[in-house]
Amino acid sequence: MPTNQPAPFTADDYRARMARAGESAAAAGLAGVLVAPGPDMVHLTGYAPPADTERLTLLVIAADRDPVLVVPTLEAPDAEKAVGAPALTLRDWTDGKDPYEVTAPLLDERGRFGISDNAWAMHLLGLQQRLPGTSYASLTQALPMLRAVKDAHELARLAAAGAAADAAYEEILKVRFSGRKETDVAADLARLLTEHGHSQVDFTVVGSGPNGANPHHEAGSRTIEHGDMVVLDFGGLMHGYGSDTSRTVHVGEPTAEEQRVHDIVREAQEAGCAAVRPGVACQEIDRAARAVITEFGYGERFIHRTGHGIGVTTHEPPYMIEGEEQPLVPGMCFSVEPGIYLPGRFGVRIEDIVTVTEDGGRRLNATARELAIVE
């Protein structure tokens, strides 16, 4: 089990993130950012309050004032212990009091604010009732790149998570597939991710034979057979940051067609990774990978985007899809995962996490992309 621990984030790290969030909000014409419990709050403050609490908890980042965290009084002691707390002013409110009375003075009464997608509707409505001149936009729409560019400490965590997922893949190749259920192999993958340092396993897709033609197939009771193509897609969180990788294996020797389809996907994945460099629009990564698959006549069988961002969650902006013109910036991290899916027969997907560097891109997964043969 890994023993190396990444350098801890500091109050200065969180202070810098909140400052960037405020600057980004101003550049987008917003009066500020309102962050509810969830990934954005963890990223910006290091504080992880109960995500399902009905009590208003809100990080307010507004122009010309220090960030303020509004918390229920009973949660204040935990908030004060957060690593990012020294970069914050805490305002608490007690049960039976109006939390919007505490929050309203922190907001421009005619401002437009970005607010977390997962904020409770009753809190948004409460703010609107208290400040009818305000307006709001979801953070995904208003500031989609809020968490997209990673710093050196974040990149180190993502690299470690990718290496741990690679180690799990190398070991899963040694287990027997034939005669076992998909759920058995999925359980092996989950165990291996945990053994190699993951604190949370988010998904273990095992799509054998015709099930591999469903990109998000959940591992089921189907018994894997000799001659099956098997799509493996697995990942989770390690040191608070995500892993996500896909490889396709074959039980016994593949047919010529199966090998050919796998080779096409591998070539498409290589083209997508090769297209990564600063300044290139996200959609160009999708175009590069999709062009290869289309050239070989399987364009209609590539039925999803080429990639998604990754960080404190395994799916987040930016997205590698046609129409996304956001330019790539050093420090962005995302998947490159083209696939071909032949309904009723089999599927193939190959996925690596890639980070944008100053002069290109670097993969955070290093396992072989050739079609592996398993028993």
Side-chain angles (χ1 to χ4, degrees):
M1 184 173 179
T3 57
N4 292 337
Q5 294 294 317
F9 294 129
T10 67
D12 284 342
D13 291 325
Y14 292 116
R15 186 177 285 107
R17 291 178 191 175
M18 286 186 279
R20 286 196 298 271
E23 292 165 2
S24 297
L30 299 173
V33 176
L34 309 179
V35 182
D40 290 331
M41 184 171 288
V42 173
H43 172 75
L44 290 168
T45 70
Y47 178 46
D52 59 351
T53 180
E54 77 282 6
R55 295 181 172 93
L56 177 71
T57 303
L58 199 67
L59 171 66
V60 180
I61 300 175
D64 302 323
R65 71 169 70 231
D66 292 334
V68 177
L69 182 62
V70 178
V71 294
T73 300
L74 76 170
E75 300 287 352
D78 287 336
E80 290 170 350
K81 295 176 185 177
V83 176
L88 292 163
T89 298
L90 264 60
R91 297 279 180 85
D92 67 318
W93 60 276
T94 57
D95 283 352
K97 301 295 184 180
D98 182 354
Y100 312 112
E101 184 176 343
V102 175
T103 309
L106 305 174
L107 307 184
D108 178 344
E109 62 182 16
R110 296 193 177 279
R112 180 170 176 78
F113 295 87
I115 189 167
S116 297
D117 297 13
N118 60 324
W120 282 48
M122 73 175 185
H123 296 321
L124 177 56
L125 293 170
L127 289 171
Q128 288 178 319
Q129 183 176 14
R130 173 68 64 162
L131 297 169
T134 56
S135 60
Y136 303 86
S138 77
L139 279 182
T140 293
Q141 292 180 332
L143 295 177
M145 298 298 113
L146 180 65
R147 305 197 313 261
V149 179
K150 275 64 179 180
D151 61 30
H153 291 318
E154 292 179 291
L155 290 173
R157 285 165 167 76
L158 284 162
D166 283 355
Y169 174 69
E170 294 287 4
E171 292 194 36
I172 204 67
L173 295 179
K174 302 172 186 176
V175 310
R176 185 170 186 83
F177 280 64
S178 180
R180 302 177 70 214
K181 296 183 185 302
E182 292 174 342
T183 49
D184 296 331
V185 177
D188 287 338
L189 275 171
R191 172 180 55 79
L192 289 168
L193 285 171
T194 300
E195 288 179 359
H196 286 284
H198 279 63
S199 59
Q200 177 177 314
V201 177
D202 288 337
F203 51 91
T204 51
V205 172
V206 180
S208 64
N211 288 341
N214 176 358
H216 279 176
H217 169 72
E218 296 286 343
S221 60
R222 183 181 185 276
T223 298
I224 302 170
E225 301 174 355
H226 185 84
D228 278 347
M229 193 81 90
V230 185
V231 177
L232 306 174
D233 185 351
F234 50 97
L237 296 181
M238 179 174 171
H239 305 310
Y241 282 75
S243 68
D244 185 2
T245 188
S246 300
R247 294 291 186 264
T248 302
V249 303
H250 198 277
V251 185
E253 292 298 322
T255 66
E257 180 192 20
E258 289 170 331
Q259 183 66 62
R260 178 173 178 271
V261 170
H262 190 278
D263 288 345
I264 292 168
V265 174
R266 183 157 61 95
E267 183 177 337
Q269 206 262 351
E270 181 66 32
C273 291
V276 176
R277 60 185 183 277
V280 168
C282 291
Q283 66 182 2
E284 295 299 333
I285 311 308
D286 183 82
R287 288 175 177 177
R290 199 170 299 275
V292 173
I293 292 175
T294 299
E295 178 185 354
F296 285 98
Y298 290 96
E300 293 184 357
R301 302 270 63 90
F302 181 10
I303 56 177
H304 55 73
R305 65 197 174 203
T306 292
H308 58 82
I310 189 169
V312 293
T313 58
T314 49
H315 281 207
E316 63 185 44
Y319 297 104
M320 306 301 115
I321 186 64
E322 182 67 31
E324 178 51 79
E325 297 180 350
Q326 168 68 40
L328 299 181
V329 176
M332 284 182 175
C333 296
F334 50 85
S335 66
V336 178
E337 51 177 309
I340 293 175
Y341 308 94
L342 305 180
R345 301 181 63 205
F346 65 90
V348 175
R349 183 166 64 259
I350 301 172
E351 174 185 15
D352 291 323
I353 299 302
V354 177
T355 183
V356 184
T357 63
E358 294 296 332
D359 58 1
R362 176 171 64 93
R363 300 186 205 233
L364 300 186
N365 296 103
T367 52
R369 296 163 195 91
E370 291 77 15
L371 182 57
I373 308 302
V374 297
E375 295 183 358

